[in-house]
Amino acid sequence: MSFTAEVKDELARVDGPNENAQRAQLSAIMRVCGTLSFRGPGRYSIKIATETGAVARTAIKLIHKLYDLETSLTVRRSVLHKTRNYLIEIPEQAELADVLVELGILAPGQGLSAGVPRNLLRTRSAISAFVRGAFMAGGFIADPRGEFHLEVAVTGEDFARELVALIGSFGATARLNHRRGAYAIYLKSYEDITALLRGMGAERVARVVELARAKKSVKNDVNRRVNAEMANQARSTGAAADQLELIDEAEHLIGFAALPPAVAVFCEVRRENPELSLAALGEEMDPPASKSAMYHRLLRLQKLVEDARGQGSPADAGLPD
């Protein structure tokens, strides 16, 4: 089962607290994944198509519970995608036109309603149920172990913009993208997605997303630390290699016996420990020396080599940043 199917399955188990909320959910399902046919005054039929069994079950349950309309269900299997397609048909019947008006899908004397059914959305529970129905009918959410992305595909600009506003009432910021004649309402941040999931009633999935984010945070922190350590090691290794070249030059031009004792010891210990940083090298001294002391010995060695070369310009001795 995909992560989207898991979310829709949880949402299908959330019952609206009253008939008004249930009507709001049914209205959204019909509006987003339904097709309305008109054959003359008062003669309507609807087809609701979905690939999710939980959506089909919810739609049929609400249709029968609220209005006791005649329905038929056809289940087809896609050979190409190996998925099931559910087709719910509500044929012409005397009560259907009034039901469509009550659900805010038809506006009396005006045809199809352009926006969301404001008459149904007067309570928090009704808004939650409507957004829940819209997501069940046209929503997608990526597995949060990969990325944070949630979207709802709808038709009609007015409907899309008003649905964005309803999502905003949960404290979630959604954006709108016009895509091939339809509109994609999408959210890409962890905070917005969890706010929407909780607003729709998907509390368990919201906790799953929170856990995925926590794991990502730990993993990213570990990666940052490892990368920083590798970068530091690379810098230390490069600096040490430059210091070894300077030591070889000092031995050739000056000779260790002519170097100040502290500088000569520095050269000896560096050759024995080419992999250590300057601070770690100081700990190998007897007695141990601070990083600052080691740095000054390196500077003194560099100056002696520059004088031996007979040049006044500084040389690259791998001094640490």
Side-chain angles (χ1 to χ4, degrees), residues 33-321:
C33 65
T35 302
L36 179 66
S37 297
F38 172 68
R39 307 182 92 181
R43 300 182 61 186
Y44 299 97
S45 63
I46 294 181
K47 293 181 180 180
I48 300 172
T50 178
E51 295 182 353
T52 309
V55 178
R57 290 193 302 272
T58 300
I60 291 174
K61 179 183 74 173
L62 293 174
I63 292 168
H64 289 172
K65 177 181 179 181
L66 297 171
Y67 301 108
D68 196 26
L69 294 173
E70 177 188 345
T71 62
S72 65
L73 173 65
T74 304
V75 182
R76 296 170 292 187
R77 180 176 290 276
S78 170
V79 177
L80 179 61
H81 301 290
K82 298 182 180 180
T83 58
R84 289 182 177 179
N85 295 306
Y86 301 86
L87 179 64
I88 303 167
E89 296 184 75
I90 307 176
E92 291 181 25
Q93 45 203 293
E95 307 93 331
L96 185 53
D98 290 338
V99 169
L100 295 174
V101 170
E102 185 175 60
L103 293 178
I105 294 173
L106 287 180
Q110 301 178 30
L112 286 172
S113 297
V116 301
R118 292 290 178 183
N119 61 306
L120 293 179
L121 306 179
R122 295 173 179 169
T123 65
R124 188 71 176 171
S125 62
I127 292 173
S128 176
F130 188 83
V131 176
R132 180 164 63 247
F135 178 83
M136 290 178 67
F140 163 82
I141 181 171
D143 190 323
R145 290 173 296 183
E147 63 175 338
F148 294 123
H149 182 85
L150 182 151
E151 70 175 54
V152 184
V154 301
T155 56
E157 184 176 0
D158 290 342
F159 183 83
R161 293 192 182 281
E162 291 178 21
L163 184 55
V164 166
L166 293 179
I167 291 172
S169 71
F170 300 142
T173 300
R175 292 175 173 80
L176 192 60
N177 184 26
H178 191 198
R179 184 185 299 167
R180 293 193 296 273
Y183 292 87
I185 299 167
Y186 66 94
L187 300 83
K188 297 186 74 69
S189 78
Y190 152 79
E191 292 82 4
D192 291 331
I193 290 172
T194 52
L196 175 56
L197 289 171
R198 288 202 163 92
M200 294 189 297
E203 189 65 39
R204 184 191 66 82
V205 175
R207 291 195 296 269
V208 170
V209 174
E210 286 178 339
L211 179 60
R213 191 221 190 188
K215 289 182 177 179
K216 281 184 180 180
S217 179
V218 171
K219 182 178 179 181
N220 291 340
D221 185 58
V222 170
N223 287 340
R224 281 193 296 269
R225 291 174 183 271
V226 169
N227 291 339
E229 183 62 31
M230 290 178 65
N232 289 337
Q233 185 64 38
R235 285 194 294 269
S236 295
T237 299
D242 292 340
Q243 292 164 22
L244 289 171
E245 289 183 6
L246 184 66
I247 291 169
D248 289 343
E249 190 174 3
E251 183 179 29
H252 174 71
L253 294 176
I254 304 170
F256 287 170
L259 294 174
V263 176
V265 171
F266 168 83
C267 295
E268 179 183 349
V269 175
R270 168 51 83 194
R271 276 184 166 177
E272 293 174 353
N273 302 276
E275 77 287 354
L276 296 182
S277 66
L278 207 57
L281 192 68
E283 296 176 2
E284 297 297 316
M285 295 292 183
D286 185 19
S290 66
K291 179 180 179 180
S292 176
M294 299 298 288
Y295 182 74
H296 283 91
R297 293 181 192 185
L298 177 59
L299 287 176
R300 193 174 181 188
L301 175 65
Q302 179 183 357
K303 182 65 169 59
L304 290 169
V305 170
E306 289 173 355
D307 291 343
R309 289 177 187 150
Q311 298 177 355
S313 60
D316 180 8
L319 299 180
D321 294 334

